[in-house]
Every structure is written in C-alpha cells, then in structure tokens.
Amino acid sequence: MKTQAIKKPAHTFTVRPNLPNYEAARARFSWADVYKDLDGLPGGVGLNIAHEAVDRHADGPLRDCVAIRWLSPDDTVREFTYAHLKRLTNRFANLLKTLDIQRGDRICTLCDRIPDLYIAALGTFKYGGVFCPLFSAFGPEPVFQRLSRSRAAVLITTERLFALKVAGFRHRLPHLKYVLLTDADRHVGPDTLSLPRLFDGASDRFSIPPTDPNDMAILHFTSGTTGFPKGAVHVHDAVRVHYITGKYVLDLRPGDIFWCTADPGWVTGTAYGIIAPLVCGVTSIVDGGDFDAGRWFRILESQKVTVWYTAPTAIRRLMRTASEALRQHDLSRLRHICSVGEPLAADAVRWGSDVLGHPIHDTWWQTENGGIMIANYPSAEIRPGSMGLPLPGIEAAIVRKPDGKTAEVVTEPDVTGHLALRSGWPSMFRGYLGENEKYAKSFSGDWYLSGDLARRDADGYFWFVGRGDDIIKTSGHMVGPFEVESVLTEHPAVAEAGVIGLPDPMLGERVAAFVSLRPGMTPDAALHRDILGFARKRLGPAVAPREIVFQEILPKNRAGKVMRRLLKARRLGLPQGDTSTPE
Ligand code: AMP
C-alpha cells in the first residue's frame, strides 16, 4: 500500500546528507568498515564506548567543543567541553577504583536528567563497569525489582529519591555495596556516601584498561508479559551501531547541536541521549526539565538545535498545544527531525513539515536491538506512517509465526507477520541477565523475533501493525502487565487482576486494570480510590494503572491465567477470537 510519499527536494538540503544514496550505501556496507571510522583504544587494546565518545575527542581537534550543554529546570546552563568531560569521567572511574568496585559490576543510577548521571554512565564505561539506568519516575517496587535482579553493586541517586524509593528495602539488597548521593555534602554512613566528596578526592587522570568489544557495558531492563522485567545485556561493540546510526539516520556531524528528549532511564536516552551524539562529536543538549510545549519550542530556538530526536507522545502533545504564538519561534537552524518509540501517524509527519519546517522521520528499534534498526533517512523518500527501511547492514523481514520451528520468511508484500531481524549485528543484546531460556526463545534459527507485528510493502518499507504480545506502550514507555498485576494483587481487597493497554489519544495506550475483589469487599468509589493510590505509590506514575474496573469474574484459560486478550476485546468491542479455552 502506498500513501502520499514525501521527498525533500535536493536543493532544500543545507548540507549534503551523510547518506546521500540509501541503495548504494546498503550495497557496499560492511560492519567491519565501521571500525575504520572509530579510534579503538590506544595501543590497540580493544574498543571502549567512553574512549570513542569522550577521550578521542578530548585529545583531538574537538577538545574545546561543548560536548554536553545541560539546561536545568530553572534554565541555568552548564556546559561541559569534551576535555572537561574527560577529566570528570576519569574522576568517576577513579572513585570506583577507590571503592574497590570490580570490572563487570553493575552501577545503577536513579536520577532525573542531571549532569552526574551522564558522568556516571561514561565513567562506568571507562572503568569497565556495567551501566544500568533506572527511570526516576518508577515507584519503589519497580526500583527494587531492577536493583535486585541486576545485583547492583553501586547505586547513584539523590537524597530525596533514596529516601522515597530505596531506603525502605535496602536491607534486602545484599549485593548493593554503596549508595552514592549526588546532593549530599558529607558522607551519611559507611556505605551511603557523598558523591561530590568522592569526586573531590579522586584524580582526574585515568587510563582506560584493555576492553574487549564483547565486554558487557550496559544493562537495560525491559518488560515481559509473563514475568518480571528482563535485563537486556549490551556490549561495548554496540558503539559501532551508535556511531553509524548517528551518522546515517540522525545525520550528525561536528558542529551540530543535537537534542534527544528521551530520559536515559529508557534505552533511547542512553544510546542517543548519551552515546551516539558524543561519538559523532556534536554538542548534545540535555534538558533537566519536564515536557512543556512553550519550553520545548524555546529550547529549539534558543539552543539553535539542528537535529532533534523525539517521540510521538510529545509530538501529539505539541500538535495539540502548538498555538500561533509558538509558531512564531525561529526554528531556522533545525535541519532534521526523527521520532521513535511508538507509531508515528502520517498526520504527525506532515505536521512537522507545516509547523517545524521539516517532515518527521520515523525510526524503529527496541531495547534488545541496542540501536536504530529501521528508519526513514534524510535523503530517501518518506512514506508517512511507515517506519522506513532497514539500516544498511541490517536484514529485516516479515516471518510467519514460527511456533518453535525455523522462521519462514514471507516474500510477498503487504502480508502481516512477525517482524524479525537477521541476528548478529554489533548492538544485538547478548542475553537476558540470568535468563538463558528466555533469551533462546527470542530467536528462531538465524532470526531474532521482535514481538512486533508488521508488514513490508513492495518497495521494502516496513509498516507497524501492533504488538504480538500483551506488552503496553504508554507515553512511549514499555509496561509489563505482569509487573502491575503482581502489585495489584498485593492489595488486601484484590483477589485477581488483569492488566491491558487501552488506546489513548495522548498516551498512545493507557494502562487499565480489571480487578476482582476478595469475598466481602464492596466495589465502591472509596475502594477504587484506595487501590489506585496503592498502585501509584508502589509502582510510580510511569507504570501505575490510570483506570481500574471492578469485575466480578475475570476470564481465565484452563491453566487459570487471566486472559488479557479477552478483557481487551470485550472492552473495545472487538472480535473475541477463539473463546473455547476460558473457564
Ligand atoms: P523499547 O524496548 O522500550 O524501546 O520498546 C520497543 C517497542 O516499542 C517496539 O517493539 C515497538 O512495539 C515499539 N516501537 C518502537 N519504535 C516504534 C515505531 N517507530 N513505530 C511503532 N512502534 C514502535
């Protein structure tokens, strides 16, 4: 199926795209060639993300270029040049050494978008630790699950977040050696320390130790449908994908001012909010403030943003609120806009052209992929509503439901099936921490199965159809229904719970819970409020249900599992499919 395609005329490009011809680049692409554009550790002792992102620029012509420009919520600006960032991340690596942290240990962060988070990430890579960011809007329960499953050795957080979300269960985290508080001016206890004080005492000279490209570097938790979140393991070699997608998809080059609006608590905020822009040698804007349409337009204008990577949830909100006054902002520096995380509707792509002066380029990828896999490229035709074409070096296909057998590739166009990627790209996840069986289940023969349903048109463009499982995407964030159900059933009045995503014009999907009550409980407004409040407190606003429906009996299959599929179909008045199995 073909919608009205958009192609930017060649004369409207102010600079030649890094990928001038998609087909030609795809035909001659080799992953080995990407190493040629990277530096490698001095002395040929391996590949380290932090060297590619920071040290190589700090020791070269970009040393005095601003690497990160941080905007505080109250609009104070702090700038970090590549040379400065090298010294700060050296200090961080040295303080890990002082604390006797081992290579491979997990260093978790639970912070808003503050400079310490970025320094900790890059310093961790240098040291050979494993960076594991947690979203600061998680409640205590998701935080506990992730700290416990990662066996975190160090947690970097603020006094407030520590008191609110961690202190209560710290004794249940035997692996957690230290909590480092970013805003404490003195050590609080023997293992609850002040990060600024440790910084002050640490040397700013550090030599990155030999790093194998396959050494573990990042751990990102992603939601499952049937269990607690899984930790997707990524290695230093992922930097090849960060670099090449920064170059080809985001079209980055030194001199650019790049703004990725994602929070590092999610994979986009780490791969494209920290690593890719620095590897490409640009100035990366980090906004510590929350979404606000006026603020965002102001940032685009005042920071002279040239390349912007954002998400459909934000775009929908901007589309709704962008008044004439906002349209008066001078966005003439903006050259290229991309989006990720949820379907980007065709009207949003066109809204970009009308209001921002450029169509929005959709990109698709997942936590497990480590970097952008499918995209609309600056020089290629955009099919509004389509996710685009596979990255050079990536083979994507629609496969028939594999059912344990080798996936069968669908060759005819416009057939809905499972979106799969030929395994082996450098940023492919290397495991789910401690869950080998789940990892093996993600593959069928040579193919990694994404869990998404999609179709491919006759010209090779991929179109998102939906998730093939019960995972919910709300405000662009993955929520696993199991995690929410587990907390709801801990409420004393709740017998059982089934959690689904319902379509929502702003959030994409909103989390909705169907609950049956224990005998003797009255389904009234007070109980409704109480359960909502309980869930919000335990799970945090990013994960908690927005809606709770009391239902006497929840549909279940013969194994006694709540059938979310049926709850959803009934609620939305959709065909209920095979209903032979519920009790
Ligand atoms: P995460 O692992 O949290 O990054 O979420 C990955 C999931 O987000 C994918 O499996 C898709 O379901 C969804 N997603 C990401 N990008 C897109 C996109 N461009 N269009 C539609 N869905 C997307």
Side-chain angles (χ1 to χ4, degrees):
M1 190 201 294
K2 201 160 173 171
T3 59
Q4 189 70 43
I6 299 180
K7 178 136 177 134
K8 278 174 74 166
H11 70 270
T12 62
F13 286 105
T14 45
V15 292
R16 186 172 188 263
N18 287 328
L19 183 79
N21 181 326
Y22 171 79
E23 291 302 340
R26 190 169 176 81
R28 60 162 193 267
F29 187 87
S30 126
W31 280 113
D33 283 348
V34 181
Y35 283 126
K36 294 183 196 152
D37 283 358
L38 299 174
D39 209 26
L41 282 173
V45 294
L47 183 75
N48 186 295
I49 293 174
H51 176 79
E52 304 304 329
V54 183
D55 290 11
R56 70 179 294 202
H57 301 312
D59 298 335
L62 294 178
R63 70 176 64 85
D64 297 323
C65 167
V66 175
I68 293 179
R69 184 177 297 138
W70 179 70
L71 317 175
S72 78
D74 64 4
D75 286 342
T76 318
V77 178
R78 274 180 73 188
E79 291 189 336
F80 302 87
T81 63
Y82 280 96
H84 188 192
L85 201 54
K86 176 178 177 182
R87 293 194 298 277
L88 290 172
T89 50
N90 281 351
R91 277 176 190 256
F92 189 86
N94 278 320
L95 75 82
L96 290 181
K97 196 170 177 182
T98 314
L99 297 176
D100 199 26
I101 298 305
Q102 304 301 305
R103 285 173 66 83
D105 275 354
R106 263 72 79 189
I107 315 296
C108 291
T109 51
L110 178 70
C111 323
D112 296 334
R113 290 177 298 283
I114 54 174
D116 291 304
L117 166 55
Y118 295 77
I119 294 162
L122 295 159
T124 298
F125 297 144
K126 281 192 167 175
Y127 188 68
V130 179
F131 174 62
C132 176
L134 308 181
F135 189 42
S136 60
F138 281 149
E141 187 60 33
V143 170
F144 172 72
Q145 285 301 336
R146 287 157 178 81
L147 285 176
S148 159
R149 277 158 201 282
S150 66
R151 302 185 161 207
V154 177
L155 171 68
I156 291 132
T157 187
T158 61
E159 289 187 296
R160 186 183 69 86
L161 290 171
F162 177 65
L164 264 177
K165 309 197 177 186
V166 185
F169 57 72
R170 185 180 183 172
H171 61 283
R172 288 166 57 205
L173 296 168
H175 300 280
L176 186 60
K177 293 186 190 148
Y178 293 104
V179 173
L180 310 184
L181 299 171
T182 60
D183 49 355
D185 47 19
R186 51 180 185 78
H187 297 327
V188 176
D191 46 16
T192 306
L193 306 175
S194 151
L195 184 62
R197 289 217 30 196
L198 291 171
F199 254 115
D200 287 345
S203 155
D204 63 8
R205 298 176 72 84
F206 183 83
S207 197
I208 300 180
T211 310
D212 189 288
N214 288 310
D215 281 353
M216 187 168 161
I218 309 172
L219 183 68
H220 266 300
F221 279 92
T222 183
S223 297
T225 29
T226 53
F228 283 109
K230 306 166 282 188
V233 172
H234 289 284
V235 298
H236 282 270
D237 205 15
V239 73
R240 275 195 284 168
V241 173
H242 299 142
Y243 168 74
I244 207 68
T245 51
K247 180 173 168 181
Y248 283 171
V249 182
L250 302 172
D251 201 40
L252 297 176
R253 66 205 61 215
D256 266 328
I257 313 268
F258 171 69
W259 183 23
C260 169
T261 57
D263 187 280
W266 304 94
V267 72
T268 303
T270 300
Y272 297 97
I274 306 180
I275 303 169
L278 301 184
V279 175
C280 293
V282 308
T283 296
S284 181
I285 302 292
V286 174
D287 179 25
D290 287 332
F291 175 87
D292 171 271
R295 178 183 175 86
W296 277 31
F297 271 85
R298 266 199 318 280
I299 291 175
L300 289 171
E301 178 178 13
S302 66
Q303 297 304 319
K304 302 184 170 57
V305 172
T306 55
V307 181
W308 192 31
Y309 198 18
T310 188
T313 295
I315 295 166
R316 283 192 296 270
R317 291 171 74 181
L318 289 174
M319 285 169 75
R320 179 173 278 198
T321 50
S323 63
E324 271 316 303
L326 293 178
R327 288 172 190 246
Q328 303 311 317
H329 285 278
D330 173 9
L331 305 184
S332 56
R333 296 299 184 100
L334 206 50
R335 186 179 85 238
H336 184 43
I337 311 171
C338 294
S339 161
V340 70
E342 300 163 71
L344 182 71
D347 63 334
V349 176
R350 295 195 195 95
W351 175 85
S353 298
D354 294 346
V355 177
L356 306 171
H358 302 273
I360 301 173
H361 295 68
D362 195 13
T363 67
W364 175 92
W365 62 291
Q366 320 173 287
T367 303
E368 285 85 345
N369 310 152
I372 298 167
M373 297 282 108
I374 295 178
N376 288 279
Y377 304 88
S379 57
E381 182 181 288
I382 299 181
R383 303 268 162 91
S386 153
M387 305 187 288
L389 300 160
L391 182 76
I394 293 296
E395 199 183 332
I398 301 300
V399 301
R400 293 211 163 81
K401 191 160 173 40
D403 285 334
K405 291 180 239 108
T406 304
E408 186 197 329
V409 174
V410 176
T411 48
E412 323 79 89
D414 294 322
V415 175
T416 296
H418 296 259
L419 175 54
L421 302 170
R422 170 98 57 197
S423 62
W425 68 96
S427 66
M428 187 177 92
F429 72 133
R430 304 304 167 89
Y432 288 125
L433 195 71
E435 298 189 88
N436 294 342
E437 216 175 291
K438 278 194 182 155
Y439 184 65
K441 273 194 181 159
S442 313
F443 297 87
S444 172
D446 245 10
W447 294 96
Y448 160 72
L449 305 169
S450 70
D452 281 359
L453 301 175
R455 62 190 169 76
R456 183 179 171 276
D457 69 21
D459 299 322
Y461 280 73
F462 283 82
W463 299 75
F464 184 77
V465 173
R467 281 292 304 181
D469 56 24
D470 295 335
I471 301 258
I472 302 161
K473 258 279 161 132
T474 181
S475 281
H477 301 146
M478 277 263 200
V479 171
F482 179 83
E483 202 174 6
V484 182
E485 289 161 3
S486 308
V487 162
L488 286 170
T489 49
E490 281 179 35
H491 187 284
V494 174
E496 285 170 323
V499 169
I500 58 171
L502 291 175
D504 184 285
M506 278 294 130
L507 305 172
E509 284 188 306
R510 70 177 178 282
V511 180
F514 290 75
V515 300
S516 64
L517 298 178
R518 290 187 182 280
M521 294 294 159
T522 316
D524 56 18
L527 183 58
H528 187 264
R529 256 196 322 276
D530 193 66
I531 299 175
L532 267 179
F534 174 85
R536 204 176 155 88
K537 194 163 163 223
R538 295 281 297 272
L539 292 162
V543 180
R546 304 266 173 147
E547 189 177 322
I548 289 186
V549 179
F550 291 134
Q551 189 163 309
E552 219 175 308
I553 298 169
L554 300 181
K556 280 186 275 171
N557 64 14
R558 292 214 179 89
K561 268 182 63 181
V562 173
M563 294 184 77
R564 303 179 187 122
R565 176 177 61 78
L566 264 189
L567 283 172
K568 190 161 178 166
R570 286 179 186 167
R571 169 62 187 262
L572 297 177
L574 299 172
Q576 298 188 12
D578 176 12
T579 54
S580 58
T581 42
E583 277 182 340

